[in-house]
Amino acid sequence: MADSSFDIVSKVERQEVDNALNQAAKEISQRYDFKGVGASIAWSGEKILMEANSEERVKAVLDVFQSKLIKRGISLKALDAGEPQLSGKEYKIFASIKEGISQENAKKVAKTIRDEGPKGVKAQVQGEELRVSSKSRDDLQAVIALLKGKDFDFAMQFVNYR
C-alpha cells in the first residue's frame, strides 16, 4: 500500500482578507470614537495602510482590523503589522499578509516531527510547503495533533490529506 501523506502550508485567502478589510473600513466610518480623527484603512498596493491623526487612534484601527480577521478565521500570525509612524500630521501603520513557509521555519517543523513525532514519519521541504508522509494514517493524525499543540511564529494549515 502506498504511503499516506498531507502538506503543511501557510496560505491566506485574499478574498477573506479583503472582506475583513471592508468590514473594518465600514465600522471605522460609522463608529463615534473615530469621527473627526481622519481614521481610514485601505489597500496600498500589496500592503494594508491604516491612518489616523493620533497614535492611539491608528492602533485602534489596527485592533478593529485584527478583530475582523479573527472573525473570518484568519490567524493573526499571518498579519505582519509595523509600528505607527508619524508622517506629516498623520500616524500610519503599514501591514502585510505573510504567506508561505520560509526555509528555516520548514526546517524547524521537520525537526519537531523527527524528534517528537512517531517513528517512520518523513517530512520533506517542497518550496514553501512541507510534505509529511507515513505508512500509517494514525501516525499522520498524531503529527497534526503534535503540530497544533506547538506554537510556531507562522500560521499553518494542513491540506491534501490522503
Side-chain angles (χ1 to χ4, degrees):
M1 191 171 120
D3 283 4
S4 299
S5 68
F6 68 89
D7 294 334
I8 302 171
V9 297
S10 180
K11 289 194 169 96
V12 176
E13 212 168 305
R14 175 108 177 165
Q15 186 60 50
E16 289 298 324
V17 175
D18 213 29
N19 291 342
L21 187 121
N22 291 335
Q23 287 178 340
K26 186 173 182 186
E27 182 173 323
I28 289 163
S29 71
Q30 293 174 344
R31 266 180 44 183
Y32 179 75
D33 58 333
F34 286 119
K35 294 274 187 259
V37 295
S40 68
I41 182 169
W43 285 105
S44 173
E46 282 297 305
K47 293 190 179 285
I48 298 162
L49 171 64
M50 293 162 262
E51 295 178 306
N53 64 4
S54 73
E55 192 171 344
E56 296 82 40
R57 289 292 96 203
V58 78
K59 285 182 178 176
V61 170
L62 176 62
D63 195 46
V64 168
F65 182 53
Q66 287 175 334
S67 72
K68 299 301 179 192
L69 286 174
I70 290 169
K71 282 185 183 164
R72 294 218 149 259
I74 298 171
S75 171
L76 291 183
K77 292 178 181 175
L79 181 70
D80 185 21
E83 288 299 309
Q85 300 166 332
L86 184 60
S87 170
K89 292 183 177 177
E90 295 274 303
Y91 279 89
K92 296 181 178 188
I93 294 179
F94 285 98
S96 59
I97 302 297
K98 294 187 289 191
E99 289 193 301
I101 301 174
S102 67
Q103 287 294 324
E104 56 267 13
N105 283 335
K107 286 177 184 169
K108 280 184 205 167
V109 173
K111 183 171 173 18
T112 302
I113 292 170
R114 265 196 319 275
D115 294 348
E116 301 175 35
K119 296 288 175 250
V121 176
K122 296 185 288 294
Q124 302 113 342
V125 178
Q126 296 180 330
E128 292 191 336
E129 58 185 47
L130 199 68
R131 163 90 26 104
V132 180
S133 57
S134 170
K135 295 222 179 293
S136 162
R137 286 181 166 234
D138 292 340
D139 287 351
L140 291 181
Q141 299 219 326
V143 168
I144 290 175
L146 167 75
L147 294 177
K148 282 185 176 177
K150 296 282 179 195
D151 186 34
F152 292 101
D153 59 347
F154 59 96
M156 264 195 286
Q157 294 86 33
F158 306 102
V159 296
N160 296 339
Y161 185 85
R162 49 175 159 261

